[in-house]
Amino acid sequence: MQKHNKIIIYTDGASRGNPGPGGYGAILMWGNYTKELSAGYRFTTNNRMELLGVIKALEALKKNNLSITIYTDSQYIVNAVQEKWLDNWIRTQFKGGKKNKDLWLQYHQLAQAHHIQFKWIKGHADSIHNNRCDILATTAADKKHLLIDKGYEQKIILRKKLLL
């Protein structure tokens, strides 16, 4: 029996307006198995959906200590991890108004269980898997019954209260 502990993940995020309705799409590939994930949110940003796609893909994994390659068209994510921006944000407790702290901390915790490598790919180009993730993300963003991005909407409500 062949042991498969290498996972390939493609992710994408989208928002209709930034902020606005948004969604993520992810494709997980393990051996001969493929799984697609997507969900839409009523009010969010593109970067949050890009990051949520990665998080939801990692949450879907049933085992730890996997070798994972994540393909994304988000330079925000690739640079934050590979250039060690995230390590610095965590060390400085996200001072200076760094965005998406809730999602970055969630990603960081999930990432500890695996060996993850990010690869940037050009969006809307010749990657059939990235293009499929884009379709999953935009279709999810266009649905009628959207989820609430609590981390984002609570921050907006708090800002409005502080301005009153």
Side-chain angles (χ1 to χ4, degrees), residues 70-101:
I70 300 175
Y71 293 89
T72 177
D73 61 12
S74 171
Q75 290 186 352
Y76 170 65
I77 294 174
V78 172
N79 289 336
V81 174
Q82 290 183 339
E83 300 297 323
K84 308 292 185 199
W85 298 350
L86 178 57
D87 293 345
N88 187 51
W89 297 340
I90 291 170
R91 189 172 43 261
T92 61
Q93 298 179 352
F94 288 80
K95 287 186 179 161
K98 298 298 178 229
K99 295 180 179 180
N100 306 317
K101 177 182 177 180

Coordinates of all heavy atoms in Angstrom, one line a residue, residues 70-101:
I70 N 0.9 24.7 -1.2 CA -0.3 25.6 -1.5 C 0.0 26.5 -2.6 O 0.9 27.3 -2.5 CB -0.7 26.3 -0.2 CG1 -1.0 25.3 0.9 CG2 -1.9 27.2 -0.5 CD1 -1.3 26.0 2.3
Y71 N -0.9 26.4 -3.6 CA -0.8 27.3 -4.8 C -1.8 28.4 -4.6 O -3.0 28.1 -4.4 CB -1.0 26.6 -6.1 CG 0.1 25.6 -6.4 CD1 0.0 24.3 -5.9 CD2 1.2 26.0 -7.2 CE1 1.0 23.4 -6.2 CE2 2.2 25.1 -7.5 CZ 2.1 23.8 -7.0 OH 3.1 22.9 -7.3
T72 N -1.4 29.7 -4.7 CA -2.3 30.8 -4.5 C -1.8 31.9 -5.4 O -0.6 32.1 -5.7 CB -2.4 31.3 -3.1 OG1 -3.2 32.4 -3.0 CG2 -1.0 31.6 -2.5
D73 N -2.8 32.7 -5.9 CA -2.4 33.9 -6.6 C -2.3 35.2 -5.7 O -2.2 36.3 -6.2 CB -3.4 34.2 -7.8 CG -4.9 34.4 -7.3 OD1 -5.1 34.6 -6.1 OD2 -5.7 34.4 -8.2
S74 N -2.3 34.9 -4.4 CA -2.3 36.0 -3.5 C -0.8 36.3 -3.0 O -0.3 35.5 -2.2 CB -3.1 35.7 -2.2 OG -2.9 36.7 -1.2
Q75 N -0.2 37.4 -3.5 CA 1.1 37.7 -3.1 C 1.1 38.1 -1.6 O 2.1 38.0 -0.9 CB 1.7 38.8 -4.0 CG 2.0 38.3 -5.3 CD 2.7 39.4 -6.2 OE1 2.9 40.5 -5.8 NE2 3.2 38.9 -7.4
Y76 N -0.1 38.7 -1.2 CA -0.2 39.0 0.2 C 0.1 37.8 1.1 O 0.8 37.9 2.1 CB -1.7 39.5 0.4 CG -2.2 39.7 1.8 CD1 -1.6 40.7 2.7 CD2 -3.2 39.0 2.3 CE1 -2.1 40.9 4.0 CE2 -3.7 39.2 3.6 CZ -3.2 40.1 4.4 OH -3.6 40.3 5.7
I77 N -0.5 36.7 0.8 CA -0.3 35.5 1.6 C 1.1 34.9 1.4 O 1.8 34.6 2.4 CB -1.3 34.4 1.3 CG1 -2.7 34.8 1.7 CG2 -0.9 33.0 1.9 CD1 -3.8 33.9 1.3
V78 N 1.6 34.8 0.2 CA 2.9 34.2 -0.1 C 4.0 35.0 0.6 O 4.8 34.5 1.3 CB 3.2 34.1 -1.6 CG1 4.6 33.7 -1.9 CG2 2.2 33.1 -2.2
N79 N 3.9 36.4 0.5 CA 4.9 37.2 1.1 C 4.9 37.2 2.6 O 5.9 37.2 3.3 CB 4.8 38.6 0.5 CG 5.3 38.7 -0.9 OD1 6.0 37.9 -1.4 ND2 4.8 39.7 -1.6
A80 N 3.7 37.2 3.1 CA 3.5 37.2 4.6 C 4.2 36.0 5.2 O 4.8 36.1 6.3 CB 2.0 37.3 5.0
V81 N 4.1 34.9 4.6 CA 4.7 33.7 5.1 C 6.2 33.6 4.7 O 7.0 33.4 5.6 CB 3.9 32.4 4.6 CG1 4.6 31.1 5.1 CG2 2.5 32.5 5.2
Q82 N 6.5 33.7 3.5 CA 7.8 33.4 3.0 C 8.8 34.5 3.4 O 10.0 34.2 3.6 CB 7.9 33.2 1.5 CG 7.2 31.9 1.1 CD 7.3 31.6 -0.4 OE1 7.5 32.5 -1.2 NE2 7.2 30.3 -0.7
E83 N 8.3 35.7 3.4 CA 9.2 36.9 3.8 C 9.2 37.1 5.3 O 9.8 38.0 5.8 CB 8.8 38.1 3.1 CG 8.8 38.1 1.6 CD 10.2 37.8 1.0 OE1 11.2 38.4 1.6 OE2 10.4 37.1 0.1
K84 N 8.5 36.2 6.1 CA 8.5 36.2 7.5 C 7.8 37.4 8.1 O 8.0 37.8 9.2 CB 9.9 36.1 8.1 CG 10.7 34.9 7.6 CD 10.2 33.6 8.1 CE 11.1 32.5 7.6 NZ 10.5 31.2 7.6
W85 N 6.9 38.1 7.3 CA 6.1 39.2 7.8 C 5.3 38.7 9.0 O 5.1 39.4 10.0 CB 5.2 39.8 6.7 CG 5.9 40.4 5.6 CD1 7.3 40.6 5.4 CD2 5.3 40.8 4.3 NE1 7.5 41.2 4.2 CE2 6.3 41.3 3.5 CE3 4.0 40.8 3.9 CZ2 6.1 41.8 2.2 CZ3 3.7 41.3 2.6 CH2 4.8 41.8 1.8
L86 N 4.6 37.5 8.8 CA 3.7 37.0 9.8 C 4.5 36.8 11.1 O 4.0 37.1 12.2 CB 3.1 35.7 9.3 CG 2.2 35.0 10.3 CD1 1.0 35.9 10.8 CD2 1.6 33.7 9.7
D87 N 5.7 36.2 11.0 CA 6.5 36.0 12.3 C 6.7 37.4 13.0 O 6.5 37.4 14.2 CB 7.8 35.4 12.0 CG 7.7 34.0 11.4 OD1 6.6 33.4 11.6 OD2 8.7 33.5 10.9
N88 N 7.0 38.4 12.2 CA 7.2 39.7 12.8 C 5.9 40.3 13.4 O 5.9 40.9 14.5 CB 7.8 40.7 11.8 CG 8.1 42.0 12.4 OD1 8.8 42.0 13.4 ND2 7.7 43.1 11.8
W89 N 4.8 40.1 12.7 CA 3.5 40.6 13.2 C 3.1 39.9 14.5 O 2.6 40.6 15.4 CB 2.4 40.3 12.1 CG 2.5 41.1 10.8 CD1 3.3 42.2 10.6 CD2 1.9 40.7 9.6 NE1 3.2 42.5 9.3 CE2 2.3 41.7 8.6 CE3 1.1 39.7 9.2 CZ2 1.9 41.6 7.3 CZ3 0.6 39.7 7.9 CH2 1.1 40.6 6.9
I90 N 3.4 38.6 14.6 CA 3.1 37.9 15.8 C 4.0 38.4 16.9 O 3.5 38.6 18.0 CB 3.2 36.4 15.6 CG1 2.0 35.9 14.7 CG2 3.2 35.6 16.9 CD1 2.2 34.5 14.2
R91 N 5.3 38.5 16.6 CA 6.2 39.0 17.6 C 5.8 40.4 18.2 O 6.0 40.7 19.3 CB 7.6 39.0 17.0 CG 8.7 39.2 18.0 CD 10.1 39.1 17.5 NE 10.4 39.6 16.1 CZ 10.4 38.9 15.0 NH1 10.1 37.6 15.0 NH2 10.6 39.5 13.8
T92 N 5.3 41.3 17.3 CA 5.0 42.6 17.7 C 3.5 42.8 18.0 O 3.0 43.9 18.2 CB 5.4 43.6 16.6 OG1 4.6 43.3 15.4 CG2 6.8 43.6 16.3
Q93 N 2.8 41.6 18.1 CA 1.4 41.6 18.5 C 0.5 42.4 17.5 O -0.4 43.1 17.9 CB 1.1 42.0 19.9 CG 1.8 41.1 20.9 CD 1.6 41.5 22.3 OE1 1.1 42.5 22.7 NE2 2.1 40.6 23.2
F94 N 0.9 42.4 16.2 CA 0.2 43.0 15.2 C 0.1 44.6 15.3 O -0.9 45.2 14.9 CB -1.2 42.4 15.0 CG -1.2 41.0 14.4 CD1 -0.9 39.9 15.2 CD2 -1.4 40.8 13.0 CE1 -0.8 38.7 14.6 CE2 -1.3 39.6 12.5 CZ -1.0 38.5 13.3
K95 N 1.1 45.1 16.0 CA 1.0 46.6 16.2 C 1.1 47.3 14.8 O 1.6 46.8 13.9 CB 2.2 47.0 17.1 CG 2.0 46.6 18.5 CD 3.0 47.1 19.4 CE 2.7 46.7 20.8 NZ 3.8 46.8 21.7
G96 N 0.7 48.5 14.8 CA 0.7 49.3 13.6 C -0.5 49.1 12.7 O -0.4 49.4 11.5
G97 N -1.5 48.5 13.3 CA -2.8 48.3 12.5 C -2.7 47.2 11.4 O -3.4 47.3 10.4
K98 N -1.9 46.2 11.6 CA -1.8 45.1 10.7 C -3.2 44.5 10.6 O -3.9 44.2 11.6 CB -0.8 44.1 11.1 CG 0.6 44.6 11.1 CD 1.0 45.1 9.7 CE 2.4 45.6 9.7 NZ 2.5 46.9 9.1
K99 N -3.7 44.2 9.4 CA -5.0 43.7 9.2 C -5.1 42.2 9.3 O -4.1 41.5 9.1 CB -5.6 44.2 7.8 CG -5.7 45.7 7.8 CD -6.2 46.1 6.4 CE -6.4 47.6 6.4 NZ -6.9 48.1 5.1
N100 N -6.3 41.7 9.6 CA -6.7 40.3 9.6 C -6.0 39.5 10.6 O -5.7 38.3 10.4 CB -6.4 39.7 8.2 CG -7.1 40.5 7.1 OD1 -8.3 40.9 7.3 ND2 -6.4 40.8 6.0
K101 N -5.7 40.1 11.8 CA -5.1 39.4 12.9 C -5.8 38.1 13.2 O -5.1 37.1 13.4 CB -5.0 40.3 14.1 CG -4.4 39.7 15.3 CD -4.5 40.6 16.5 CE -3.9 39.9 17.8 NZ -4.0 40.8 18.9

